[in-house]
Amino acid sequence: MDMLKKYFPYSFGAKEITDLVVKIIVYVIVGAVAGLLIGVLSQIPVLGILIGLLGGLVDLYVLIGIVLVVLNFLKILK
């Protein structure tokens, strides 16, 4: 659990439904902005593959963060 809190510090601490919604919206916005930047940078031929892999990692981080926010809010994680 400490390892999850180390890598996903923003995912913990939602006490009310508004906190949950705000945290999910922040994760979605971060994912969208990162996707937009990665889409622009992937046009560079040499870096295209590396930037694409980075985009996959960012999307995975956002997805795991959202799942952890929901699980923590529902008190499934202890």
Side-chain angles (χ1 to χ4, degrees):
M1 187 61 148
D2 292 332
M3 190 173 178
L4 286 176
K5 287 183 180 180
K6 179 180 174 184
Y7 292 112
F8 298 93
Y10 191 69
S11 295
F12 297 93
K15 303 289 185 211
E16 298 178 5
I17 192 76
T18 56
D19 296 336
L20 174 71
V21 171
V22 167
K23 287 181 182 278
I24 290 173
I25 289 172
V26 168
Y27 268 122
V28 169
I29 290 173
V30 167
V33 169
L36 188 65
L37 287 173
I38 289 168
V40 170
L41 291 176
S42 68
Q43 300 300 319
I44 301 171
V46 176
L47 297 177
I49 295 173
L50 293 175
I51 298 295
L53 291 173
L54 180 66
L57 290 175
V58 168
D59 289 342
L60 184 63
Y61 182 84
V62 167
L63 177 66
I64 292 172
I66 291 172
V67 169
L68 287 175
V69 166
V70 172
L71 290 177
N72 187 44
F73 181 76
L74 296 174
K75 306 282 191 245
I76 294 174
L77 295 177
K78 301 200 187 268

